[in-house]
Amino acid sequence: MMLGKDFDYIKIKDELLCVGASTPAGKLLSFCKKHDIRHFELLPKLPGTLGGMIKMNAGLKEFEIFNYLHSIQTDEGILLKEDIPHGYRWTDFQGLVLEARFEIHKGFNEAHLEMFKKMRDNQPTDPSAGSCFKNPQGDSAGRLIQEAGLKGYRIGDMAFSEKHANFLVNLGKGNFDEAMALILLAQKTVFEKFGVWLENEVIIVDERYQGKNSPLVRQEA
Ligand SMILES: Cc1cc2nc3c(=O)[nH]c(=O)nc-3n(C[C@H](O)[C@H](O)[C@H](O)COP(=O)(O)OP(=O)(O)OC[C@H]3O[C@@H](n4cnc5c(N)ncnc54)[C@H](O)[C@@H]3O)c2cc1C
């Protein structure tokens, strides 16, 4: 199920920035720049819509979409930020996000925008799902994969990017099995070399990895 255009809107109401869940990240960034609102400078070139960003607590470094969140409207009711368990790239709440409301702080920060744009410059433009693994505390998944000798490593048409090792890129007709082979190889190799288990940032939707009863796996009748 996907939310349609009715949920692609941005408005200011009761001194809060109210954003529909199917609003693209780029549109939100443009709005904030135009209206001199800060704390959304992390959004350039971040693919996706607000609903996905909220569910994943998307961010870069210490800048996360939850930082200035006030509340969310879901199909089950309103949830205040303080009532939503969340952390680095995870959240725990039920329901479908329809709208998110943010505190408004004035002063769009051009320097931050440039900093985030620069960070994006070392990310590949080949098709990917973004960062493959979460960064372990105090380290970077990309560095560990690179040190393990897997930067640029390719199976079939899937590879850990030459540009940034934590991006699993599709170089043509890459498929699920090739992607999984690389994910498992990186987890095993990094664990054997550094004793660190790389946790997936991507969500794997497949009964072989989630179990038949997972709500993530479509149940056949
Ligand atoms: C090149 C590239 C760079 C990226 N860089 C970053 C980055 O710097 N930081 C970062 O955090 N992410 C990054 N990502 C990952 C991705 O952009 C974010 O996770 C984004 O927030 C996903 O949004 P989406 O709309 O595509 O969500 P999806 O990928 O479609 O969904 C993500 C999850 O959210 C759930 N979901 C989606 N919409 C809703 C809703 N309305 N209500 C409830 N649940 C919902 C889905 O079921 C799924 O579990 C990057 C991806 C790419 C391809």
Side-chain angles (χ1 to χ4, degrees):
M1 182 170 70
M2 283 184 79
L3 295 176
K5 285 261 174 242
D6 286 355
F7 296 91
D8 177 356
Y9 61 82
I10 306 172
K11 55 192 179 195
I12 293 173
K13 203 177 149 205
D14 300 332
E15 296 181 20
L16 292 173
L17 183 66
C18 305
V19 188
S22 61
T23 308
K27 182 172 175 177
L28 178 54
L29 175 66
S30 304
F31 182 95
C32 291
K33 192 170 179 184
K34 187 170 167 202
H35 293 85
D36 194 31
I37 295 170
R38 70 192 305 161
H39 301 313
F40 293 87
E41 296 87 350
L42 77 158
L43 297 180
K45 294 191 188 160
L46 197 150
T49 57
L50 189 80
M53 285 191 281
I54 294 287
K55 185 68 184 176
M56 300 298 293
N57 188 14
L60 258 183
K61 306 273 177 203
E62 69 272 32
F63 301 88
E64 293 180 339
I65 200 76
F66 259 66
N67 288 2
Y68 297 92
L69 183 72
H70 173 274
S71 55
I72 58 174
Q73 171 77 55
T74 75
D75 58 331
E76 298 182 8
I78 293 174
L79 289 172
L80 294 176
K81 172 182 158 179
E82 51 268 33
D83 296 328
I84 308 173
H86 64 276
Y88 170 57
R89 301 296 173 275
W90 73 272
T91 58
D92 185 9
F93 61 86
Q94 299 300 314
L96 189 68
V97 184
L98 304 178
E99 180 183 285
R101 294 143 191 174
F102 298 92
E103 299 165 11
I104 296 178
H105 297 269
K106 282 288 180 182
F108 186 84
N109 191 325
E110 285 288 349
H112 275 174
L113 181 68
E114 285 316 307
M115 177 181 83
F116 289 121
K117 276 186 179 164
K118 259 208 172 108
M119 286 182 188
R120 296 263 170 235
D121 284 347
N122 64 17
Q123 294 183 351
T125 49
D126 302 299
S128 79
S131 298
C132 185
F133 300 105
K134 295 183 183 187
N135 287 322
Q137 186 112 38
D139 210 333
S140 113
R143 186 194 76 79
L144 291 165
I145 297 167
Q146 186 169 339
E147 294 292 312
L150 293 174
K151 189 174 188 180
Y153 193 85
R154 179 172 180 161
I155 295 181
D157 267 354
M158 295 300 297
F160 287 115
S161 169
E162 295 276 8
K163 202 161 182 193
H164 191 311
N166 196 24
F167 277 69
L168 190 56
V169 291
N170 190 334
L171 301 172
K173 293 189 171 156
N175 61 37
F176 176 80
D177 290 329
E178 291 161 2
M180 281 314 302
L182 283 167
I183 287 174
L184 297 172
L185 176 69
Q187 285 175 319
K188 182 172 174 283
T189 313
V190 166
F191 186 74
E192 281 170 0
K193 279 203 156 193
F194 306 109
V196 177
W197 183 255
L198 291 175
E199 203 184 319
N200 289 324
E201 182 166 325
V202 291
I203 299 174
I204 298 164
V205 187
D206 185 287
E207 65 180 27
R208 286 170 292 171
Y209 298 92
Q210 297 287 349
K212 263 199 164 58
N213 295 326
S214 164
L216 286 173
V217 177
R218 195 170 145 194
Q219 299 289 305
E220 299 298 332

